[in-house]
Short mmCIF file of all heavy atoms in Angstrom, two decimals:
data_model
loop_
_atom_site.label_atom_id
_atom_site.label_comp_id
_atom_site.label_asym_id
_atom_site.label_seq_id
_atom_site.Cartn_x
_atom_site.Cartn_y
_atom_site.Cartn_z
N MET R 1 6.42 -32.49 -91.79
CA MET R 1 7.10 -33.29 -92.81
C MET R 1 7.84 -34.43 -92.14
O MET R 1 8.61 -34.23 -91.22
CB MET R 1 8.08 -32.39 -93.56
CG MET R 1 8.77 -33.00 -94.74
SD MET R 1 10.45 -33.68 -94.66
CE MET R 1 11.21 -33.12 -93.21
N THR R 2 7.55 -35.65 -92.58
CA THR R 2 8.32 -36.82 -92.12
C THR R 2 8.67 -37.64 -93.35
O THR R 2 7.78 -38.04 -94.11
CB THR R 2 7.49 -37.69 -91.16
OG1 THR R 2 7.03 -36.88 -90.09
CG2 THR R 2 8.35 -38.83 -90.59
N ILE R 3 9.94 -37.85 -93.56
CA ILE R 3 10.38 -38.66 -94.69
C ILE R 3 10.26 -40.12 -94.28
O ILE R 3 10.74 -40.52 -93.21
CB ILE R 3 11.83 -38.34 -95.06
CG1 ILE R 3 11.99 -36.84 -95.36
CG2 ILE R 3 12.28 -39.18 -96.26
CD1 ILE R 3 13.44 -36.36 -95.36
N LYS R 4 9.59 -40.92 -95.14
CA LYS R 4 9.36 -42.33 -94.82
C LYS R 4 9.68 -43.21 -96.01
O LYS R 4 9.52 -42.79 -97.16
CB LYS R 4 7.87 -42.56 -94.49
CG LYS R 4 7.44 -41.96 -93.19
CD LYS R 4 5.99 -42.35 -92.94
CE LYS R 4 5.44 -41.55 -91.78
NZ LYS R 4 4.00 -41.40 -91.85
N ILE R 5 10.08 -44.44 -95.70
CA ILE R 5 10.29 -45.45 -96.74
C ILE R 5 9.36 -46.61 -96.44
O ILE R 5 9.36 -47.15 -95.34
CB ILE R 5 11.76 -45.91 -96.75
CG1 ILE R 5 12.66 -44.72 -97.07
CG2 ILE R 5 11.96 -47.03 -97.77
CD1 ILE R 5 14.13 -44.99 -96.94
N SER R 6 8.55 -46.98 -97.43
CA SER R 6 7.58 -48.04 -97.20
C SER R 6 8.20 -49.41 -97.43
O SER R 6 9.32 -49.55 -97.94
CB SER R 6 6.38 -47.86 -98.14
OG SER R 6 6.73 -48.31 -99.44
N ASP R 7 7.41 -50.44 -97.11
CA ASP R 7 7.86 -51.82 -97.32
C ASP R 7 8.02 -52.17 -98.80
O ASP R 7 8.53 -53.24 -99.12
CB ASP R 7 6.84 -52.79 -96.69
CG ASP R 7 6.88 -52.74 -95.17
OD1 ASP R 7 7.85 -52.21 -94.61
OD2 ASP R 7 5.92 -53.23 -94.55
N ALA R 8 7.57 -51.29 -99.68
CA ALA R 8 7.73 -51.54 -101.12
C ALA R 8 9.19 -51.45 -101.56
O ALA R 8 9.54 -51.91 -102.64
CB ALA R 8 6.90 -50.53 -101.91
N CYS R 9 10.05 -50.88 -100.72
CA CYS R 9 11.48 -50.71 -101.07
C CYS R 9 12.10 -52.05 -101.48
O CYS R 9 11.95 -53.05 -100.78
CB CYS R 9 12.23 -50.14 -99.86
SG CYS R 9 14.03 -50.10 -100.08
N ILE R 10 12.77 -52.04 -102.63
CA ILE R 10 13.44 -53.25 -103.13
C ILE R 10 14.96 -53.19 -102.94
O ILE R 10 15.69 -54.03 -103.44
CB ILE R 10 13.10 -53.50 -104.62
CG1 ILE R 10 13.46 -52.27 -105.48
CG2 ILE R 10 11.63 -53.87 -104.78
CD1 ILE R 10 13.40 -52.52 -107.00
N GLY R 11 15.42 -52.16 -102.24
CA GLY R 11 16.85 -52.10 -101.90
C GLY R 11 17.78 -51.80 -103.06
O GLY R 11 18.93 -52.23 -103.07
N CYS R 12 17.30 -51.01 -104.02
CA CYS R 12 18.11 -50.76 -105.22
C CYS R 12 19.31 -49.84 -104.96
O CYS R 12 20.25 -49.82 -105.73
CB CYS R 12 17.24 -50.19 -106.33
SG CYS R 12 16.72 -48.50 -106.01
N GLY R 13 19.23 -49.03 -103.91
CA GLY R 13 20.35 -48.15 -103.56
C GLY R 13 20.33 -46.79 -104.23
O GLY R 13 21.21 -45.96 -103.97
N THR R 14 19.33 -46.53 -105.07
CA THR R 14 19.29 -45.24 -105.78
C THR R 14 19.19 -44.06 -104.83
O THR R 14 19.92 -43.07 -104.97
CB THR R 14 18.10 -45.23 -106.76
OG1 THR R 14 18.26 -46.30 -107.67
CG2 THR R 14 18.02 -43.91 -107.53
N CYS R 15 18.31 -44.15 -103.85
CA CYS R 15 18.10 -43.00 -102.96
C CYS R 15 19.38 -42.66 -102.19
O CYS R 15 19.72 -41.49 -102.04
CB CYS R 15 16.94 -43.24 -102.00
SG CYS R 15 17.09 -44.74 -101.02
N SER R 16 20.08 -43.67 -101.70
CA SER R 16 21.28 -43.38 -100.92
C SER R 16 22.40 -42.85 -101.81
O SER R 16 23.22 -42.06 -101.36
CB SER R 16 21.74 -44.61 -100.14
OG SER R 16 22.04 -45.66 -100.99
N SER R 17 22.41 -43.24 -103.08
CA SER R 17 23.45 -42.66 -103.93
C SER R 17 23.11 -41.24 -104.35
O SER R 17 24.00 -40.40 -104.49
CB SER R 17 23.78 -43.55 -105.13
OG SER R 17 22.67 -43.78 -105.90
N ILE R 18 21.82 -40.93 -104.47
CA ILE R 18 21.41 -39.55 -104.81
C ILE R 18 21.52 -38.63 -103.61
O ILE R 18 21.88 -37.46 -103.75
CB ILE R 18 19.95 -39.54 -105.33
CG1 ILE R 18 19.86 -40.20 -106.69
CG2 ILE R 18 19.37 -38.12 -105.36
CD1 ILE R 18 18.43 -40.35 -107.20
N CYS R 19 21.21 -39.14 -102.42
CA CYS R 19 21.02 -38.26 -101.26
C CYS R 19 21.53 -38.95 -99.98
O CYS R 19 20.75 -39.36 -99.13
CB CYS R 19 19.52 -37.95 -101.16
SG CYS R 19 19.15 -36.53 -100.15
N ASP R 20 22.83 -39.03 -99.86
CA ASP R 20 23.38 -39.81 -98.74
C ASP R 20 23.33 -39.09 -97.40
O ASP R 20 23.64 -39.69 -96.37
CB ASP R 20 24.80 -40.31 -99.07
CG ASP R 20 25.83 -39.18 -99.21
OD1 ASP R 20 25.46 -38.01 -99.07
OD2 ASP R 20 27.00 -39.51 -99.48
N GLU R 21 22.92 -37.81 -97.40
CA GLU R 21 22.73 -37.13 -96.10
C GLU R 21 21.46 -37.62 -95.42
O GLU R 21 21.28 -37.44 -94.22
CB GLU R 21 22.56 -35.61 -96.33
CG GLU R 21 23.86 -34.85 -96.39
CD GLU R 21 23.59 -33.34 -96.46
OE1 GLU R 21 23.01 -32.79 -95.54
OE2 GLU R 21 23.96 -32.76 -97.49
N VAL R 22 20.54 -38.19 -96.19
CA VAL R 22 19.22 -38.55 -95.65
C VAL R 22 18.96 -40.06 -95.71
O VAL R 22 18.31 -40.61 -94.83
CB VAL R 22 18.11 -37.78 -96.42
CG1 VAL R 22 16.72 -38.26 -96.04
CG2 VAL R 22 18.24 -36.28 -96.12
N PHE R 23 19.47 -40.73 -96.75
CA PHE R 23 19.18 -42.16 -96.93
C PHE R 23 20.45 -42.99 -96.81
O PHE R 23 21.51 -42.60 -97.33
CB PHE R 23 18.55 -42.42 -98.31
CG PHE R 23 17.29 -41.63 -98.55
CD1 PHE R 23 17.31 -40.49 -99.33
CD2 PHE R 23 16.08 -42.02 -97.99
CE1 PHE R 23 16.16 -39.74 -99.56
CE2 PHE R 23 14.92 -41.28 -98.21
CZ PHE R 23 14.96 -40.14 -99.00
N GLU R 24 20.28 -44.14 -96.18
CA GLU R 24 21.40 -45.07 -96.05
C GLU R 24 20.86 -46.47 -96.27
O GLU R 24 19.72 -46.78 -95.89
CB GLU R 24 21.98 -44.94 -94.63
CG GLU R 24 23.27 -45.69 -94.39
CD GLU R 24 23.81 -45.36 -93.00
OE1 GLU R 24 24.46 -44.31 -92.84
OE2 GLU R 24 23.53 -46.13 -92.06
N MET R 25 21.65 -47.34 -96.87
CA MET R 25 21.21 -48.72 -97.05
C MET R 25 21.43 -49.48 -95.74
O MET R 25 22.43 -49.30 -95.05
CB MET R 25 21.98 -49.40 -98.18
CG MET R 25 21.74 -48.78 -99.55
SD MET R 25 20.00 -48.45 -99.92
CE MET R 25 19.36 -50.13 -99.97
N ASP R 26 20.45 -50.32 -95.43
CA ASP R 26 20.49 -51.15 -94.23
C ASP R 26 20.08 -52.55 -94.68
O ASP R 26 18.91 -52.89 -94.71
CB ASP R 26 19.53 -50.57 -93.19
CG ASP R 26 19.55 -51.36 -91.89
OD1 ASP R 26 20.46 -52.19 -91.71
OD2 ASP R 26 18.64 -51.14 -91.06
N GLY R 27 21.06 -53.32 -95.12
CA GLY R 27 20.74 -54.62 -95.69
C GLY R 27 19.98 -54.44 -96.99
O GLY R 27 20.40 -53.69 -97.86
N ALA R 28 18.80 -55.05 -97.08
CA ALA R 28 18.02 -55.04 -98.31
C ALA R 28 17.03 -53.88 -98.37
O ALA R 28 16.19 -53.84 -99.26
CB ALA R 28 17.29 -56.36 -98.46
N HIS R 29 17.11 -52.96 -97.41
CA HIS R 29 16.21 -51.82 -97.41
C HIS R 29 16.99 -50.54 -97.18
O HIS R 29 18.04 -50.54 -96.55
CB HIS R 29 15.17 -51.95 -96.29
CG HIS R 29 14.02 -52.82 -96.67
ND1 HIS R 29 14.07 -54.21 -96.63
CD2 HIS R 29 12.78 -52.51 -97.12
CE1 HIS R 29 12.92 -54.70 -97.03
NE2 HIS R 29 12.11 -53.70 -97.33
N ALA R 30 16.40 -49.45 -97.64
CA ALA R 30 16.95 -48.14 -97.31
C ALA R 30 16.34 -47.68 -95.99
O ALA R 30 15.23 -48.07 -95.64
CB ALA R 30 16.60 -47.15 -98.41
N LYS R 31 17.08 -46.85 -95.27
CA LYS R 31 16.50 -46.24 -94.08
C LYS R 31 16.79 -44.74 -94.11
O LYS R 31 17.72 -44.29 -94.78
CB LYS R 31 17.03 -46.89 -92.80
CG LYS R 31 18.51 -46.65 -92.56
CD LYS R 31 18.92 -47.30 -91.23
CE LYS R 31 20.41 -47.10 -90.99
NZ LYS R 31 20.88 -47.77 -89.78
N VAL R 32 15.96 -44.02 -93.36
CA VAL R 32 16.12 -42.57 -93.26
C VAL R 32 17.02 -42.30 -92.06
O VAL R 32 16.74 -42.74 -90.95
CB VAL R 32 14.75 -41.89 -93.07
CG1 VAL R 32 14.91 -40.39 -92.86
CG2 VAL R 32 13.85 -42.16 -94.28
N ILE R 33 18.11 -41.58 -92.29
CA ILE R 33 19.05 -41.30 -91.19
C ILE R 33 18.96 -39.86 -90.69
O ILE R 33 19.53 -39.54 -89.67
CB ILE R 33 20.50 -41.64 -91.60
CG1 ILE R 33 20.92 -40.91 -92.88
CG2 ILE R 33 20.67 -43.15 -91.73
CD1 ILE R 33 22.43 -41.02 -93.17
N ALA R 34 18.23 -39.02 -91.42
CA ALA R 34 18.06 -37.63 -90.96
C ALA R 34 16.81 -37.06 -91.60
O ALA R 34 16.57 -37.26 -92.79
CB ALA R 34 19.27 -36.79 -91.37
N GLN R 35 16.00 -36.38 -90.80
CA GLN R 35 14.79 -35.75 -91.34
C GLN R 35 15.15 -34.35 -91.83
O GLN R 35 14.93 -33.36 -91.14
CB GLN R 35 13.70 -35.69 -90.25
CG GLN R 35 13.12 -37.04 -89.88
CD GLN R 35 12.30 -37.65 -91.01
OE1 GLN R 35 11.84 -36.97 -91.93
NE2 GLN R 35 12.13 -38.97 -90.94
N LYS R 36 15.74 -34.30 -93.00
CA LYS R 36 16.14 -33.01 -93.58
C LYS R 36 15.46 -32.87 -94.93
O LYS R 36 15.67 -33.70 -95.82
CB LYS R 36 17.65 -33.00 -93.85
CG LYS R 36 18.54 -32.94 -92.66
CD LYS R 36 19.97 -32.75 -93.21
CE LYS R 36 21.02 -33.11 -92.20
NZ LYS R 36 22.37 -33.09 -92.79
N ASP R 37 14.66 -31.81 -95.10
CA ASP R 37 13.98 -31.64 -96.38
C ASP R 37 14.87 -30.85 -97.34
O ASP R 37 14.61 -29.70 -97.64
CB ASP R 37 12.63 -30.95 -96.17
CG ASP R 37 11.74 -31.09 -97.39
OD1 ASP R 37 12.11 -31.84 -98.31
OD2 ASP R 37 10.70 -30.43 -97.43
N ILE R 38 15.90 -31.50 -97.81
CA ILE R 38 16.84 -30.87 -98.75
C ILE R 38 16.46 -31.29 -100.17
O ILE R 38 15.75 -32.29 -100.35
CB ILE R 38 18.30 -31.22 -98.39
CG1 ILE R 38 18.50 -32.73 -98.23
CG2 ILE R 38 18.71 -30.51 -97.10
CD1 ILE R 38 19.93 -33.14 -97.91
N PRO R 39 16.88 -30.55 -101.19
CA PRO R 39 16.41 -30.81 -102.56
C PRO R 39 16.62 -32.24 -103.06
O PRO R 39 15.80 -32.77 -103.81
CB PRO R 39 17.21 -29.81 -103.40
CG PRO R 39 17.50 -28.69 -102.47
CD PRO R 39 17.70 -29.32 -101.11
N CYS R 40 17.69 -32.89 -102.62
CA CYS R 40 17.93 -34.24 -103.13
C CYS R 40 16.89 -35.24 -102.63
O CYS R 40 16.75 -36.32 -103.21
CB CYS R 40 19.35 -34.70 -102.84
SG CYS R 40 19.76 -34.88 -101.10
N VAL R 41 16.13 -34.90 -101.57
CA VAL R 41 15.06 -35.80 -101.12
C VAL R 41 13.99 -35.92 -102.20
O VAL R 41 13.53 -37.02 -102.54
CB VAL R 41 14.44 -35.31 -99.79
CG1 VAL R 41 13.20 -36.13 -99.43
CG2 VAL R 41 15.47 -35.39 -98.66
N GLN R 42 13.60 -34.77 -102.75
CA GLN R 42 12.60 -34.78 -103.83
C GLN R 42 13.13 -35.54 -105.05
O GLN R 42 12.39 -36.30 -105.68
CB GLN R 42 12.23 -33.34 -104.21
CG GLN R 42 11.07 -33.23 -105.19
CD GLN R 42 9.77 -33.85 -104.65
OE1 GLN R 42 9.47 -33.74 -103.46
NE2 GLN R 42 9.02 -34.53 -105.51
N GLU R 43 14.40 -35.36 -105.31
CA GLU R 43 15.01 -36.08 -106.44
C GLU R 43 14.97 -37.60 -106.20
O GLU R 43 14.67 -38.39 -107.09
CB GLU R 43 16.46 -35.61 -106.57
CG GLU R 43 17.05 -35.76 -107.94
CD GLU R 43 18.52 -35.34 -107.96
OE1 GLU R 43 18.89 -34.35 -107.29
OE2 GLU R 43 19.28 -36.03 -108.63
N ALA R 44 15.23 -38.00 -104.97
CA ALA R 44 15.18 -39.43 -104.64
C ALA R 44 13.76 -39.97 -104.75
O ALA R 44 13.54 -41.07 -105.25
CB ALA R 44 15.73 -39.65 -103.23
N ILE R 45 12.78 -39.16 -104.28
CA ILE R 45 11.37 -39.59 -104.38
C ILE R 45 11.02 -39.85 -105.85
O ILE R 45 10.41 -40.87 -106.19
CB ILE R 45 10.43 -38.50 -103.79
CG1 ILE R 45 10.56 -38.48 -102.27
CG2 ILE R 45 8.98 -38.72 -104.22
CD1 ILE R 45 9.85 -37.32 -101.58
N GLU R 46 11.45 -38.94 -106.72
CA GLU R 46 11.12 -39.07 -108.15
C GLU R 46 11.90 -40.19 -108.81
O GLU R 46 11.50 -40.72 -109.84
CB GLU R 46 11.35 -37.73 -108.85
CG GLU R 46 10.30 -36.70 -108.43
CD GLU R 46 10.65 -35.27 -108.82
OE1 GLU R 46 11.56 -35.06 -109.62
OE2 GLU R 46 9.98 -34.35 -108.28
N SER R 47 13.04 -40.56 -108.24
CA SER R 47 13.89 -41.58 -108.87
C SER R 47 13.64 -42.99 -108.34
O SER R 47 14.10 -43.95 -108.94
CB SER R 47 15.35 -41.22 -108.64
OG SER R 47 15.64 -39.96 -109.19
N CYS R 48 12.96 -43.11 -107.21
CA CYS R 48 12.73 -44.45 -106.64
C CYS R 48 11.87 -45.25 -107.61
O CYS R 48 10.77 -44.83 -107.97
CB CYS R 48 12.03 -44.32 -105.29
SG CYS R 48 11.60 -45.94 -104.61
N PRO R 49 12.33 -46.42 -108.05
CA PRO R 49 11.60 -47.18 -109.08
C PRO R 49 10.26 -47.74 -108.61
O PRO R 49 9.41 -48.09 -109.44
CB PRO R 49 12.57 -48.31 -109.44
CG PRO R 49 13.45 -48.47 -108.25
CD PRO R 49 13.58 -47.08 -107.65
N VAL R 50 10.06 -47.82 -107.31
CA VAL R 50 8.80 -48.39 -106.81
C VAL R 50 7.98 -47.39 -106.00
O VAL R 50 6.99 -47.77 -105.34
CB VAL R 50 9.07 -49.67 -105.98
CG1 VAL R 50 9.61 -50.78 -106.87
CG2 VAL R 50 10.04 -49.41 -104.83
N GLY R 51 8.36 -46.14 -106.02
CA GLY R 51 7.59 -45.11 -105.32
C GLY R 51 7.50 -45.33 -103.81
O GLY R 51 6.48 -45.06 -103.19
N ALA R 52 8.60 -45.81 -103.23
CA ALA R 52 8.56 -46.19 -101.80
C ALA R 52 8.83 -45.04 -100.85
O ALA R 52 8.65 -45.20 -99.64
CB ALA R 52 9.57 -47.30 -101.56
N ILE R 53 9.28 -43.89 -101.37
CA ILE R 53 9.64 -42.79 -100.48
C ILE R 53 8.53 -41.75 -100.47
O ILE R 53 8.02 -41.37 -101.52
CB ILE R 53 10.96 -42.11 -100.93
CG1 ILE R 53 12.05 -43.16 -101.15
CG2 ILE R 53 11.40 -41.06 -99.91
CD1 ILE R 53 13.29 -42.60 -101.88
N SER R 54 8.18 -41.30 -99.27
CA SER R 54 7.21 -40.20 -99.16
C SER R 54 7.69 -39.21 -98.12
O SER R 54 8.58 -39.51 -97.33
CB SER R 54 5.83 -40.75 -98.78
OG SER R 54 5.92 -41.41 -97.52
N LYS R 55 7.09 -38.02 -98.14
CA LYS R 55 7.42 -37.03 -97.11
C LYS R 55 6.18 -36.17 -96.87
O LYS R 55 5.23 -36.18 -97.65
CB LYS R 55 8.60 -36.17 -97.53
CG LYS R 55 8.34 -35.24 -98.68
CD LYS R 55 9.50 -34.28 -98.92
CE LYS R 55 9.14 -33.32 -100.05
NZ LYS R 55 10.19 -32.37 -100.37
S1 SF4 H 1 15.30 -45.80 -104.30
FE1 SF4 H 1 13.40 -46.72 -103.48
S2 SF4 H 1 13.61 -48.92 -103.85
FE2 SF4 H 1 15.64 -48.02 -104.09
S3 SF4 H 1 16.61 -48.27 -102.06
FE3 SF4 H 1 15.66 -46.23 -102.11
S4 SF4 H 1 13.57 -46.50 -101.27
FE4 SF4 H 1 14.38 -48.52 -101.79
#
């Protein structure tokens, strides 16, 4: 399992607000700060408006 954010990310901030243990905003993109498969990762995947998160 590797959590990834694609170039499709539009920097909306939803993932980092849902799951700040794993996602952090870095300018106009989100980045993964920890490879932890915790439940909020799936929630962030389902909430990303452009489907940019995968694992
Ligand atoms: S929810 Fe999706 S579009 Fe929004 S910051 Fe996270 S990865 Fe980017």
Side-chain angles (χ1 to χ4, degrees):
M1 186 262 345
T2 305
I3 304 164
K4 290 184 191 154
I5 298 173
S6 78
D7 290 344
C9 172
I10 55 170
C12 71
T14 301
C15 56
S16 60
S17 58
I18 290 174
C19 198
D20 66 0
E21 274 186 62
V22 172
F23 303 102
E24 188 174 278
M25 296 314 295
D26 182 12
H29 278 80
K31 67 178 179 184
V32 176
I33 55 169
Q35 291 292 340
K36 289 188 199 172
D37 195 9
I38 52 179
C40 64
V41 171
Q42 188 60 38
E43 205 183 321
I45 288 171
E46 289 166 13
S47 301
C48 176
V50 293
I53 309 168
S54 61
K55 69 172 183 180

